[in-house]
Amino acid sequence: MTFGFAPSSAASLSTSTSATSATRLLEPAEWAAAGIPLLRNPREVVSGLHSRHRPRPATAIVAVLDQDERVRASASFTRRQASTDGWMFRNALLAQLRRVIPHDLRLRTPVRTAVLLYCRDGDARWTEEDGAWMWGLRDACTLHGLRCGAYITLTRDGWQVLGEGRGGRRPHADSTPEPFALSEAPPLLPRTGGAASEVLRRAAAR
């Protein structure tokens, strides 16, 4: 007769769960090969979301863009769970999308694109947490009938569109947000003084 200890069902379940969680992330090469549409003006998108939501580390911002890259809806939330699991991130993103914008599941081809900006500590290099967010974004987009768009990190070094190699130093995690909709503000009139200034002032008043 042989005596021994069989692994408990709880231990087996824990091992299986961790193995499954490890597969719910995307490596940078997988993300780059997925055909994610490029943003025409990523800095404008990043600055706009930064001004709207003023994120701090551990804040995620999911935004839905139309075909002209205008933000149609956006929501921000703070990551609360300790584990890095794409499935949990997917559920969190999907809950926010359902709250702020109707789904496009009836359309044969998606016309709106969801992008995700995640503000975190550390540098701009890819982490497993980023991979889990990528997996979550892609899956949430599929379930809500959207195109999966860019995944952007915001750190103290600046912002970075992962998988594209594009980024910038401002805004960053500690920077003061720029005035909202700065790009849509009318141009300032030149301060020339004299008659020319008076003509411009009257034209602006009409």
Side-chain angles (χ1 to χ4, degrees), residues 86-87 90-91 94 133-145 148:
W87 183 78
R90 185 276 307 271
N91 290 346
L94 195 56
W133 279 116
M134 290 171 167
W135 190 96
L137 176 62
R138 186 185 65 177
D139 218 42
C141 288
T142 299
L143 294 173
H144 207 63
C148 179

Side-chain angles (χ1 to χ4, degrees), residues 8-188:
S8 69
S9 57
S12 300
L13 181 60
S14 175
T15 303
S16 172
T17 301
S18 18
T20 304
S21 299
T23 64
R24 290 195 287 249
L25 59 83
L26 293 175
E27 300 278 350
E30 295 175 294
W31 183 257
I36 305 298
L38 301 178
L39 290 170
R40 291 194 297 271
N41 192 336
R43 188 187 184 281
E44 186 174 316
V45 172
V46 173
S47 296
L49 295 179
H50 186 257
S51 297
R52 283 179 173 91
H53 296 277
R54 301 171 181 259
R56 307 306 302 165
T59 301
I61 303 171
V62 61
V64 178
L65 311 180
D66 64 14
Q67 292 172 306
D68 296 320
E69 286 193 2
R70 289 175 298 204
V71 176
R72 288 306 179 191
S74 64
S76 62
F77 60 98
T78 303
R79 175 189 168 183
R80 301 192 183 279
Q81 62 268 21
S83 63
T84 298
D85 187 345
W87 183 78
M88 297 180 72
F89 291 170
R90 185 276 307 271
N91 290 346
L93 292 170
L94 195 56
Q96 297 298 325
L97 289 170
R98 287 170 173 164
R99 185 173 64 84
V100 299
I101 199 162
H103 66 71
D104 280 346
L105 292 171
R106 294 181 181 178
L107 298 178
R108 183 169 297 181
T109 303
V111 296
R112 296 184 293 193
T113 303
V115 299
L116 177 61
L117 184 150
Y118 184 54
C119 181
R120 61 168 173 77
D121 291 320
D123 56 32
R125 288 176 294 184
W126 180 89
T127 66
E128 287 192 356
E129 181 185 25
D130 295 324
W133 279 116
M134 290 171 167
W135 190 96
L137 176 62
R138 186 185 65 177
D139 218 42
C141 288
T142 299
L143 294 173
H144 207 63
L146 302 168
R147 288 200 307 170
C148 179
Y151 173 69
I152 306 159
T153 58
L154 186 71
T155 67
R156 289 181 172 85
D157 295 332
W159 58 271
Q160 178 82 15
V161 184
L162 292 193
E164 294 185 21
R166 292 191 291 175
R169 294 184 178 181
R170 294 188 66 86
H172 55 76
D174 294 327
S175 64
T176 302
E178 295 179 0
F180 184 68
L182 181 63
S183 61
E184 299 176 7
L188 295 175

